[in-house]
Coordinates of all heavy atoms in Angstrom, one line a residue:
K214 N 16.5 7.3 -23.4 CA 17.3 6.3 -23.2 C 16.6 5.5 -21.9 O 17.4 4.9 -21.0 CB 18.7 6.8 -22.8 CG 19.4 7.5 -24.0 CD 20.8 7.9 -23.4 CE 21.6 8.5 -24.6 NZ 23.0 9.0 -24.2
L215 N 15.4 5.7 -21.7 CA 14.7 4.9 -20.6 C 14.6 3.4 -20.9 O 14.4 3.1 -22.1 CB 13.4 5.6 -20.4 CG 13.3 7.1 -20.1 CD1 11.9 7.6 -19.8 CD2 14.1 7.3 -18.8
V216 N 14.6 2.7 -19.8 CA 14.5 1.3 -19.9 C 12.9 0.9 -19.8 O 12.4 1.2 -18.8 CB 15.2 0.4 -18.9 CG1 15.0 -1.0 -19.0 CG2 16.7 0.8 -19.1
I217 N 12.3 0.5 -20.9 CA 10.9 0.1 -20.8 C 10.7 -1.2 -20.1 O 11.5 -2.2 -20.3 CB 10.3 -0.1 -22.3 CG1 10.7 1.2 -23.1 CG2 8.9 -0.3 -22.2 CD1 9.9 2.6 -22.5
L218 N 9.6 -1.3 -19.3 CA 9.4 -2.4 -18.5 C 8.8 -3.5 -19.4 O 8.0 -3.3 -20.4 CB 8.2 -2.1 -17.5 CG 8.6 -1.0 -16.3 CD1 7.3 -0.7 -15.5 CD2 9.7 -1.5 -15.5
T219 N 9.3 -4.7 -19.1 CA 8.8 -5.8 -19.9 C 7.4 -6.3 -19.4 O 7.1 -6.0 -18.3 CB 9.9 -7.0 -19.6 OG1 10.1 -7.4 -18.3 CG2 11.1 -6.4 -20.4
P220 N 6.8 -7.2 -20.2 CA 5.5 -7.8 -19.7 C 5.6 -8.5 -18.4 O 4.7 -8.4 -17.5 CB 5.1 -8.6 -20.9 CG 5.7 -8.0 -22.1 CD 7.0 -7.5 -21.6
S221 N 6.7 -9.2 -18.2 CA 6.9 -9.9 -16.9 C 7.0 -9.0 -15.8 O 6.6 -9.3 -14.6 CB 8.0 -10.9 -17.1 OG 9.3 -10.2 -17.4
E222 N 7.7 -7.9 -16.0 CA 7.9 -6.9 -14.8 C 6.6 -6.3 -14.7 O 6.4 -5.9 -13.5 CB 8.9 -6.0 -15.3 CG 10.3 -6.5 -15.4 CD 11.4 -5.5 -15.9 OE1 11.0 -4.5 -16.6 OE2 12.5 -5.6 -15.7
L223 N 5.7 -6.0 -15.6 CA 4.4 -5.5 -15.4 C 3.5 -6.4 -14.6 O 2.8 -5.9 -13.6 CB 3.7 -5.0 -16.8 CG 4.3 -3.9 -17.5 CD1 3.6 -3.7 -18.8 CD2 4.2 -2.7 -16.8
V224 N 3.7 -7.7 -14.8 CA 2.9 -8.7 -14.0 C 3.4 -8.6 -12.5 O 2.5 -8.6 -11.5 CB 3.1 -10.0 -14.5 CG1 2.5 -11.1 -13.6 CG2 2.5 -10.2 -15.9
K225 N 4.7 -8.5 -12.3 CA 5.3 -8.3 -10.9 C 4.7 -7.0 -10.2 O 4.3 -7.0 -9.1 CB 6.8 -8.2 -11.0 CG 7.3 -9.6 -11.4 CD 8.9 -9.4 -11.4 CE 9.7 -10.8 -11.8 NZ 11.1 -10.7 -11.7
L226 N 4.6 -6.0 -11.1 CA 4.0 -4.7 -10.5 C 2.6 -4.9 -10.0 O 2.2 -4.3 -9.1 CB 4.3 -3.6 -11.4 CG 5.6 -2.9 -11.6 CD1 5.6 -1.8 -12.7 CD2 6.2 -2.4 -10.3
Q227 N 1.8 -5.7 -10.9 CA 0.5 -5.9 -10.6 C 0.2 -6.6 -9.3 O -0.5 -6.2 -8.5 CB -0.2 -6.6 -11.7 CG -1.7 -6.8 -11.6 CD -2.5 -5.6 -11.7 OE1 -2.3 -4.8 -12.6 NE2 -3.4 -5.4 -10.7
K228 N 1.1 -7.6 -9.0 CA 1.0 -8.4 -7.8 C 1.6 -7.5 -6.6 O 1.0 -7.6 -5.4 CB 1.8 -9.5 -7.9 CG 1.3 -10.5 -8.9 CD 2.3 -11.9 -9.0 CE 1.6 -12.9 -10.0 NZ 2.6 -14.2 -10.0
L229 N 2.5 -6.6 -6.8 CA 3.1 -5.8 -5.8 C 2.1 -4.8 -5.4 O 1.8 -4.4 -4.3 CB 4.3 -5.1 -6.2 CG 5.1 -4.3 -5.2 CD1 5.6 -5.2 -4.2 CD2 6.2 -3.7 -6.0
A230 N 1.2 -4.1 -6.4 CA 0.2 -3.2 -6.2 C -0.9 -3.8 -5.2 O -1.5 -3.2 -4.4 CB -0.4 -2.7 -7.5
T231 N -1.2 -5.1 -5.5 CA -2.2 -5.9 -4.8 C -1.8 -5.9 -3.2 O -2.5 -5.8 -2.4 CB -2.4 -7.2 -5.3 OG1 -2.9 -7.1 -6.7 CG2 -3.6 -7.8 -4.6
V232 N -0.4 -6.3 -3.1 CA 0.0 -6.5 -1.8 C 0.1 -5.1 -1.0 O 0.0 -4.9 0.2 CB 1.4 -7.1 -1.7 CG1 2.1 -7.1 -0.4 CG2 1.3 -8.4 -2.4
L233 N 0.5 -4.0 -1.7 CA 0.7 -2.7 -1.2 C -0.6 -2.0 -0.9 O -0.7 -0.9 -0.3 CB 1.6 -1.8 -2.0 CG 3.0 -2.2 -2.1 CD1 3.8 -1.3 -3.0 CD2 3.6 -2.0 -0.7
G234 N -1.8 -2.5 -1.4 CA -3.1 -1.9 -1.1 C -3.4 -1.7 0.4 O -3.9 -0.6 0.7
P235 N -3.3 -2.6 1.1 CA -3.5 -2.4 2.6 C -2.5 -1.4 3.2 O -3.0 -0.7 4.2 CB -3.3 -3.9 3.3 CG -3.5 -4.8 2.1 CD -3.0 -4.1 1.0
C236 N -1.3 -1.3 2.8 CA -0.4 -0.3 3.3 C -1.0 1.1 3.0 O -0.9 1.9 3.9 CB 1.0 -0.4 2.6 SG 1.7 -2.1 2.9
R237 N -1.5 1.3 1.9 CA -2.1 2.7 1.5 C -3.3 2.9 2.5 O -3.4 4.1 3.0 CB -2.5 2.8 0.2 CG -3.2 3.9 -0.4 CD -3.4 4.0 -1.8 NE -4.2 5.3 -2.2 CZ -4.6 5.5 -3.4 NH1 -4.5 4.7 -4.3 NH2 -5.2 6.7 -3.6
F238 N -4.2 1.9 2.6 CA -5.2 2.1 3.6 C -4.8 2.4 5.0 O -5.5 3.3 5.7 CB -6.1 0.7 3.5 CG -7.1 0.7 4.6 CD1 -8.3 1.5 4.2 CD2 -7.1 0.1 5.7 CE1 -9.4 1.5 5.3 CE2 -8.1 0.0 6.7 CZ -9.3 0.8 6.4
V239 N -3.8 1.7 5.5 CA -3.3 2.1 6.9 C -2.8 3.3 6.9 O -2.9 4.2 7.9 CB -2.3 1.0 7.3 CG1 -1.7 1.2 8.5 CG2 -3.1 -0.5 7.4
T240 N -2.0 3.9 5.9 CA -1.4 5.1 5.9 C -2.4 6.2 6.0 O -2.3 7.2 6.8 CB -0.5 5.2 4.6 OG1 0.5 4.2 4.6 CG2 0.1 6.7 4.7
E241 N -3.6 6.1 5.2 CA -4.6 7.0 5.2 C -5.4 7.0 6.5 O -5.9 8.0 7.0 CB -5.5 6.8 4.0 CG -4.9 7.1 2.7 CD -5.7 6.7 1.5 OE1 -7.0 6.2 1.8 OE2 -5.3 6.9 0.4
L242 N -5.5 5.8 7.1 CA -6.3 5.7 8.4 C -5.6 6.3 9.5 O -6.1 7.0 10.3 CB -6.4 4.1 8.6 CG -7.3 3.8 9.9 CD1 -8.7 4.3 9.7 CD2 -7.2 2.3 10.0
L243 N -4.3 6.1 9.7 CA -3.5 6.7 10.8 C -3.2 8.2 10.6 O -2.8 8.9 11.6 CB -2.1 5.9 10.9 CG -2.2 4.4 11.1 CD1 -0.8 3.9 11.4 CD2 -3.1 4.2 12.4
G244 N -3.4 8.7 9.3 CA -3.1 10.2 9.1 C -4.4 10.9 9.1 O -4.4 12.2 8.8
G245 N -5.5 10.3 9.5 CA -6.9 11.1 9.6 C -6.8 12.0 10.9 O -6.2 11.9 11.9
E246 N -7.8 12.9 10.7 CA -7.9 13.8 11.8 C -9.4 14.1 12.3 O -9.7 14.9 13.2 CB -7.4 15.3 11.3 CG -8.1 15.8 10.1 CD -7.4 17.2 9.5 OE1 -6.4 17.4 10.1 OE2 -8.0 17.7 8.6
T247 N -10.3 13.5 11.6 CA -11.7 13.6 12.0 C -12.3 12.4 12.8 O -13.4 12.3 13.0 CB -12.5 13.8 10.7 OG1 -12.4 12.7 9.8 CG2 -12.2 15.1 10.0
Y248 N -11.3 11.5 13.2 CA -11.8 10.3 13.9 C -10.6 9.8 14.9 O -9.4 10.4 14.7 CB -12.1 9.1 12.9 CG -11.2 9.0 11.8 CD1 -10.0 8.2 12.0 CD2 -11.4 9.6 10.5 CE1 -9.1 8.0 11.0 CE2 -10.5 9.4 9.5 CZ -9.3 8.6 9.7 OH -8.4 8.4 8.7
V249 N -10.9 8.9 15.8 CA -9.9 8.4 16.7 C -9.1 7.5 15.8 O -9.3 6.6 15.3 CB -10.6 7.7 17.8 CG1 -9.6 7.0 18.7 CG2 -11.5 8.6 18.6
S250 N -7.7 7.8 16.0 CA -6.7 7.0 15.2 C -5.6 6.4 16.1 O -5.0 5.4 15.7 CB -5.9 7.9 14.3 OG -5.3 9.1 14.9
C251 N -5.4 6.9 17.4 CA -4.4 6.4 18.2 C -4.6 4.9 18.5 O -3.7 4.1 18.5 CB -4.3 7.2 19.5 SG -3.0 6.6 20.7
S252 N -5.9 4.5 18.8 CA -6.2 3.1 19.1 C -6.2 2.2 18.0 O -6.4 0.9 18.1 CB -7.5 3.1 19.9 OG -8.6 3.5 19.0
V253 N -6.1 2.7 16.9 CA -6.1 1.9 15.6 C -4.6 1.4 15.3 O -4.5 0.5 14.3 CB -6.7 2.6 14.5 CG1 -6.9 1.8 13.1 CG2 -7.9 3.3 14.9
V254 N -3.6 1.9 15.9 CA -2.3 1.7 15.5 C -1.9 0.1 15.6 O -1.5 -0.4 14.7 CB -1.3 2.5 16.3 CG1 0.1 2.1 16.0 CG2 -1.5 3.9 16.0
L255 N -2.2 -0.5 16.8 CA -1.8 -1.9 17.0 C -2.7 -2.9 16.1 O -2.2 -3.6 15.5 CB -2.0 -2.2 18.4 CG -1.0 -1.6 19.4 CD1 -1.2 -1.9 20.8 CD2 0.6 -1.7 18.9
P256 N -3.9 -2.6 15.9 CA -4.8 -3.3 15.1 C -4.3 -3.3 13.6 O -4.2 -4.3 12.9 CB -6.2 -3.0 15.3 CG -6.3 -2.3 16.6 CD -4.9 -1.8 16.8
A257 N -4.0 -2.1 13.1 CA -3.5 -1.8 11.9 C -2.1 -2.5 11.6 O -2.0 -3.1 10.4 CB -3.4 -0.3 11.4
L258 N -1.2 -2.4 12.5 CA 0.0 -3.1 12.4 C -0.1 -4.6 12.3 O 0.6 -5.2 11.7 CB 1.0 -2.7 13.4 CG 1.4 -1.3 13.4 CD1 2.4 -0.9 14.6 CD2 2.1 -0.8 12.0
C259 N -1.0 -5.1 13.2 CA -1.2 -6.5 13.2 C -1.8 -6.9 11.8 O -1.5 -8.1 11.2 CB -2.3 -6.9 14.3 SG -2.7 -8.6 14.4
H260 N -2.7 -6.2 11.2 CA -3.3 -6.4 9.8 C -2.2 -6.4 8.9 O -2.1 -7.3 8.0 CB -4.3 -5.4 9.5 CG -4.9 -5.5 8.1 ND1 -5.6 -6.6 7.8 CD2 -4.8 -4.7 7.1 CE1 -5.9 -6.5 6.5 NE2 -5.5 -5.4 6.1
L261 N -1.3 -5.5 8.9 CA -0.2 -5.6 7.9 C 0.8 -6.8 8.1 O 1.2 -7.3 7.1 CB 0.6 -4.2 8.1 CG 0.1 -2.9 7.6 CD1 1.1 -1.7 7.9 CD2 -0.4 -3.0 6.2

């Protein structure tokens, strides 16, 4: 009884995935442990 996504909704997801790409990069960047991450917070938020 699942609602299948329509082609127009898939196009919206494609655009949304493009916008969320930097968010994933920032999340992985701030969660690292082998490099300096504290000073990256403000530049990363400015980028977002």
Side-chain angles (χ1 to χ4, degrees):
K214 296 182 180 180
L215 300 177
V216 179
I217 304 300
L218 296 175
T219 62
S221 60
E222 291 174 340
L223 290 174
V224 173
K225 291 181 180 180
L226 283 181
Q227 183 66 47
K228 294 182 179 180
L229 187 61
T231 304
V232 175
L233 289 176
C236 300
R237 178 180 180 180
F238 172 74
V239 170
T240 302
E241 296 175 351
L242 182 65
L243 299 184
E246 58 185 7
T247 58
Y248 46 82
V249 176
S250 58
C251 182
S252 59
V253 190
V254 174
L255 295 181
L258 295 181
C259 179
H260 175 66
L261 285 182

